[in-house]
Amino acid sequence: MNARNSIPALAVLAALTLTGCTQTGGTTTSLDEPAASAPAAEPAAEAAAAPDITPLGGTFTYDDGVAITVSAPTPYTPSEYAAGATHPNNVTITFTVANNSAETLELLSMPEVTSGGVAGESITDLTNESVTLEPFGGNADVLPGQTFSWTMAYSLADASDVTVSISPTAFEHDTAIFSTAAG
């Protein structure tokens, strides 16, 4: 992402801080283990705790039942007409949100990807219909019991060092962090 794409995220964070909205926490599971309920934490310990980091390919489940899975990056060859392929590694990442809550989920998700200590650049490739255009790849109403998936292309500095920050909604859910460093 570049600075231009970070401005809306900062505005959302500022609005969230100013309005005092609460967010929903959650738990992390890998593809190999079932979801478990989060242990109760003492208030002081919870404030000092680092955020949970989910391995890429794993699933983060929020307390309300909404779950998000972020795939591991897969190699991608942009067309000659693609824009944003500025780093040595071009990949696709698939995002899947499962709405296991009782309410319709107003999905508005803007993933942020970093790699090798620098922001990943989103790739716009109009010749490839399987790659979603930026910035709102995850933008849909997802009914209870349904899932929604989308794939985005990114240009990365280091495909072995990738971190994805994502929230399924603008205000109701915390940001989940997925990384190759987790696990």
Side-chain angles (χ1 to χ4, degrees):
M1 296 274 169
N2 57 35
R4 176 180 44 122
N5 290 339
S6 297
I7 292 171
L10 290 174
V12 167
L13 179 59
L16 178 63
T17 302
L18 293 173
T19 60
C21 293
T22 59
Q23 295 184 335
T24 303
T27 58
T28 298
T29 57
S30 72
L31 293 178
D32 300 328
E33 63 186 59
S37 62
E42 294 186 24
E46 186 176 336
D52 289 333
I53 299 175
T54 305
L56 286 168
T59 299
F60 182 87
T61 303
Y62 292 91
D63 293 339
D64 65 356
V66 172
I68 188 161
T69 303
V70 177
S71 75
T74 57
Y76 175 69
T77 304
S79 74
E80 63 183 300
Y81 304 107
T86 58
H87 296 291
N89 301 283
N90 300 307
V91 301
T92 57
I93 299 175
T94 299
F95 305 91
T96 302
V97 174
N99 184 5
N100 299 314
S101 75
E103 309 259 338
T104 297
L105 179 69
E106 293 179 22
L107 181 64
L108 178 61
S109 187
M110 299 179 294
E112 295 204 18
V113 179
T114 61
S115 166
V118 298
E121 183 73 32
S122 61
I123 298 174
T124 301
D125 196 346
L126 298 175
T127 64
N128 188 335
E129 294 178 8
S130 66
V131 176
T132 304
L133 300 176
E134 270 285 305
F136 300 107
N139 185 11
D141 287 335
V142 184
L143 298 175
Q146 291 186 340
T147 61
F148 182 80
S149 294
W150 71 99
T151 300
M152 297 179 75
Y154 294 94
S155 188
L156 306 175
D158 181 356
S160 67
D161 178 16
V162 179
T163 299
V164 176
S165 301
I166 186 170
S167 175
T169 59
F171 298 107
E172 292 85 22
H173 296 89
D174 289 333
T175 297
I177 300 172
F178 295 80
S179 180
T180 53

